[in-house]
Amino acid sequence: MNTLYLLLNLGSVSVPFLYSFHPRLQLHKRFIWIFISILLTMVIFIPEVSKIELFRDLVLPSETNAIHTLFGGELLARMDRAASIAAERHSGKIVVTASVNHVAFKHAVPLGSIVTVEAKETRAFKSSMEVYIDVWVDDKNTETSVKVNEAIFTFVAVDSDGYPIGIPQLVPETKEEILRYEGALRRKQLSLVLAGKMKAQEATELKALFS
């Protein structure tokens, strides 16, 4: 949901709405903006549906190694950009990369390949969000796409001062989205346990796997 769009629309309708009750009432500007802020708080956290971000590019000679395949770091940079766009589109905020997990290089990406990076948010927490990445390469011989990489990125939404800020929640719809949504909490709890920020007995979703 676009916060700026909401602000403009709410600003245009809130004042006439209030004057409809008291036409002669002279409203102070500060009161008007307080009213708008309350409405924004009510709508900004409405759960949203995850959006897919596609990033397509060609593998150039300067991006390949001695055997003419794409550097892993180059691919990760593309994945990070696509994932950050997906996270920013959902949150409507500035986002920073918090972690990169489960990176799996399944196939080499040859020089001249057309690479498609598919980024889709799987779950939103208080200020952080998990984005799942799938990478595909067009096979010129079979005219099909081959999956060459996947990874899970975590981003945190921040304000202009760099402090974490709240974001809208996410509503999974398809079977795959639901599975990834449920798995995101387990992955988050595992990361917190490994980092020493959560006790193992508090990781309820992880414990449920073994019960």
Side-chain angles (χ1 to χ4, degrees):
M1 186 176 292
N2 192 312
T3 305
L4 179 59
Y5 175 82
L6 285 171
L7 179 59
L8 292 175
N9 280 275
L10 286 171
S12 65
V13 302
S14 59
V15 177
F17 173 76
L18 290 173
Y19 271 106
S20 66
F21 287 99
H22 300 284
R24 297 182 181 180
L25 181 63
Q26 297 299 316
L27 296 175
H28 193 278
K29 290 183 178 180
R30 184 177 180 183
F31 174 78
I32 295 175
W33 284 109
I34 290 175
F35 179 77
I36 294 174
S37 298
I38 293 173
L39 289 178
L40 280 175
T41 302
M42 293 170 61
V43 299
I44 196 171
F45 293 106
I46 294 176
E48 296 185 355
V49 177
S50 179
K51 303 178 183 66
I52 298 176
E53 187 65 37
L54 293 178
F55 185 91
R56 303 194 74 187
D57 204 357
L58 186 69
V59 177
L60 302 175
S62 61
E63 301 168 326
T64 60
N65 55 29
I67 57 174
H68 307 296
T69 59
L70 182 64
F71 279 117
E74 290 284 350
L75 182 55
L76 284 173
R78 298 183 188 194
M79 295 164 69
D80 191 25
R81 287 194 292 271
S84 65
I85 293 173
E88 286 195 5
R89 287 182 64 195
H90 172 77
S91 65
K93 308 294 181 182
I94 301 170
V95 299
V96 293
T97 308
S99 67
V100 180
N101 302 308
H102 190 60
V103 181
F105 293 93
K106 298 182 178 181
H107 300 283
V109 182
L111 172 64
S113 298
I114 297 175
V115 180
T116 301
V117 180
E118 180 181 297
K120 189 172 186 179
E121 189 174 6
T122 54
R123 187 159 183 162
F125 297 95
K126 185 176 180 181
S127 60
S128 65
M129 53 215 117
E130 182 189 91
V131 179
Y132 209 100
I133 309 291
D134 293 303
V135 183
W136 308 82
V137 169
D138 293 349
D139 190 320
K140 299 176 183 178
N141 297 321
T142 62
E143 297 184 351
T144 59
S145 294
V146 178
K147 187 173 181 178
V148 297
N149 198 311
E150 64 181 7
I152 299 172
F153 283 66
T154 300
F155 292 87
V156 175
V158 297
D159 59 21
S160 57
D161 295 319
Y163 292 100
I165 189 170
I167 57 174
Q169 295 303 295
L170 191 67
V171 178
E173 293 188 324
T174 67
K175 183 177 180 180
E176 181 183 58
E177 288 175 353
I178 293 172
L179 289 174
R180 289 183 172 182
Y181 179 88
E182 293 174 346
L185 181 56
R186 292 191 289 270
R187 289 186 287 270
K188 180 180 177 67
Q189 289 185 352
L190 178 60
S191 296
L192 292 174
V193 170
L194 294 176
K197 297 180 179 179
M198 174 183 281
K199 296 180 180 179
Q201 57 268 31
E202 296 175 347
T204 55
E205 291 297 317
L206 288 177
K207 291 171 62 178
L209 291 175
F210 304 98
S211 60

